[in-house]
Amino acid sequence: SQQGEEDPQALSIQEGENATMNCSYKTSINNLQWYRQNSGRGLVHLILIRSNEREKHSGRLRVTLDTSKKSSSLLITASRAADTASYFCALDFYGNNRLAFGKGNQVVVIP
Amino acid sequence: DTAVSQTPKYLVTQMGNDKSIKCEQNLGHDTMYWYKQDSKKFLKIMFSYNNKELIINETVPNRFSPKSPDKAHLNLHINSLELGDSAVYFCASSPRTSGAYNEQFFGPGTRLTVL
């Protein structure tokens, strides 16, 4: 079935370090989105990158998209303890009328 | 001024009971969704409505019945609850179903526990 595959599935880093996670997919997309989910809460939209874009920034977040490799990366710079969460990539496939969510990356930032 | 709200937040019930979860969005969005998130955090879409019309109905048991009385509300009724229905259920909304501006806004979730 169509969905993103994130890696690593779990990441533990020290506060102040950068965290990078990747998402790969198999068929063409309209756009790719990243969401954050804090423990016990709903998902929060972070950033959307369209298929004709290569890089986007939002605060400490940087997202890249390589459509030739069918992969995206999310970089969180200067991580904080509050960044501890699960991060999901979500794919908008052409003609699908829905987002396909990956299984999520668990990121733990140690103060 | 909550954007997407769900009630109740927690639901504990016995097997065989019928229960409902309500969702409301005040964002003026056309599309609303129900998702089920299992214990491994996998998020599976169940239903989607666009302007009160059902557009996605995944392979969900027919014990689950969504109802959209208007564009701002999407409720989920579950009959004859089973142990396997235990999960967190999320409601979400988006301006569009696909293409640009289809980012989704999620409610806080309803944790359903079936005993």
Side-chain angles (χ1 to χ4, degrees), chain B residues 82-94:
Chain B
E82 300 178 358
L83 294 176
D85 297 333
S86 295
V88 182
Y89 292 83
F90 286 101
C91 175
S93 72
S94 66

Side-chain angles (χ1 to χ4, degrees), chain A residues 31 33 35 37 86 92 98, chain B residues 37 41 58 98-99 102 104:
Chain A
N31 66 59
Q33 303 176 31
Y35 288 78
Q37 184 180 29
S86 292
D92 177 14
R98 72 191 70 189
Chain B
Q37 188 174 46
K41 295 206 170 179
E58 285 295 275
S98 188
N102 69 336
Q104 295 185 12

